[in-house]
Amino acid sequence: MKVIDLTHTIKEDMPVYPGTETPKLTTANTYEKDGFKETRISMFSHTGTHVDPPAHIFAGRTTLDQFPASQFIGKALVINCSKLKEGEPITMKHILQYGEKAEKAEFLLFHTGWDKYWGTEDYFGNYPCIDMEVLDYILEGDYKGIGFDVIGLDPIDDVELTRHKKLFQDKDILNMENLTNLDQCGEELFWFGCFPLKTEDSDGAPIRAMAWFE
């Protein structure tokens, strides 16, 4: 079985959404003093490669811990958008080129190639985003989730979070951000998992996202 890690490593100097504090990884116990090592981890719930549920945007909507475990695993398809230039939209033409495979997928993962900027100021630039026609297509479908190799579903300067609000208003669906290595997944359907920490009343959580091929 071939397995591809689609997750950025959490560390103290990693990129975080503007205005968010970076993670803190503090040694709490040591081999020398305690006979074992343990680390205190302090970070925001949307740090690194992570998943948003509807409760991220709307009070009273579905939290991560309310989803069944089956929500986090299924067949995925990578939509290649890597030829887009800065600020160009992801449109239906990018999805339609995959024909029925896009309809059979349970997760659509959009590969812009933006993860190559991870760790630089360019990562917070004018990355490609899905347009409203693509968002409508997703909402009309039966998808468990969507994912991106950029820092947000919305443009970095959209403080209204327009796409987040439309996505989560009435639909129980997952949104994943800061994925990586999508270029290694090919053009066919594959198994995908995006496993978050299970915390109470969760508005989001880091995930270990991975693809595997039997």
Side-chain angles (χ1 to χ4, degrees), residues 95-111:
I95 296 176
L96 293 176
Q97 64 181 326
Y98 293 93
E100 291 184 355
K101 288 184 287 188
E103 298 175 3
K104 293 179 179 178
E106 296 168 282
F107 296 89
L108 293 180
L109 310 179
F110 295 88
H111 165 50

Side-chain angles (χ1 to χ4, degrees), residues 168-187:
F168 290 136
Q169 179 72 52
D170 299 305
K171 194 175 184 71
D172 278 347
I173 190 171
L174 305 174
N175 173 57
M176 290 156 284
E177 298 166 341
N178 297 322
L179 293 167
T180 189
N181 296 329
L182 293 178
D183 59 313
Q184 300 180 29
C185 295
E187 297 184 349

Side-chain angles (χ1 to χ4, degrees), residues 12 15 20 35 51 56-57 60 68 115 122 146 167-168 178 187-188 196 210:
E12 291 194 338
T20 302
V51 60
H56 177 42
I57 301 297
D115 55 336
D122 291 335
I146 55 175
L167 179 69
F168 290 136
N178 297 322
E187 297 184 349
E188 302 298 326
M210 60 187 73

Side-chain angles (χ1 to χ4, degrees), residues 58-69:
F58 296 109
R61 291 285 284 116
T62 310
T63 60
L64 275 184
D65 50 307
Q66 290 175 326
F67 278 106

Side-chain angles (χ1 to χ4, degrees), residues 5-123:
D5 194 349
L6 307 179
T7 316
H8 288 290
T9 301
I10 292 176
K11 53 184 182 177
E12 291 194 338
D13 60 348
M14 70 188 296
V16 293
Y17 198 82
T20 302
E21 295 177 7
T22 55
K24 298 294 184 290
L25 308 176
T26 307
T27 300
N29 298 95
T30 66
Y31 304 119
E32 295 78 12
K33 180 177 180 293
D34 306 290
F36 61 92
K37 183 180 179 182
E38 189 171 13
T39 303
R40 181 192 298 274
I41 301 174
S42 176
M43 62 184 176
F44 280 69
S45 54
H46 296 259
T47 295
T49 306
H50 68 273
V51 60
D52 305 337
H56 177 42
I57 301 297
F58 296 109
R61 291 285 284 116
T62 310
T63 60
L64 275 184
D65 50 307
Q66 290 175 326
F67 278 106
S70 58
Q71 186 77 24
F72 305 101
I73 190 171
K75 288 289 188 173
L77 181 70
V78 167
I79 306 298
N80 189 353
C81 315
S82 61
K83 292 184 179 180
L84 286 173
K85 297 179 181 178
E86 185 176 349
E88 288 185 336
I90 299 169
T91 67
M92 281 303 300
K93 73 176 183 180
H94 295 98
I95 296 176
L96 293 176
Q97 64 181 326
Y98 293 93
E100 291 184 355
K101 288 184 287 188
E103 298 175 3
K104 293 179 179 178
E106 296 168 282
F107 296 89
L108 293 180
L109 310 179
F110 295 88
H111 165 50
T112 69
W114 210 258
D115 55 336
K116 66 187 175 186
Y117 299 122
W118 182 257
T120 74
E121 286 300 318
D122 291 335
Y123 194 69

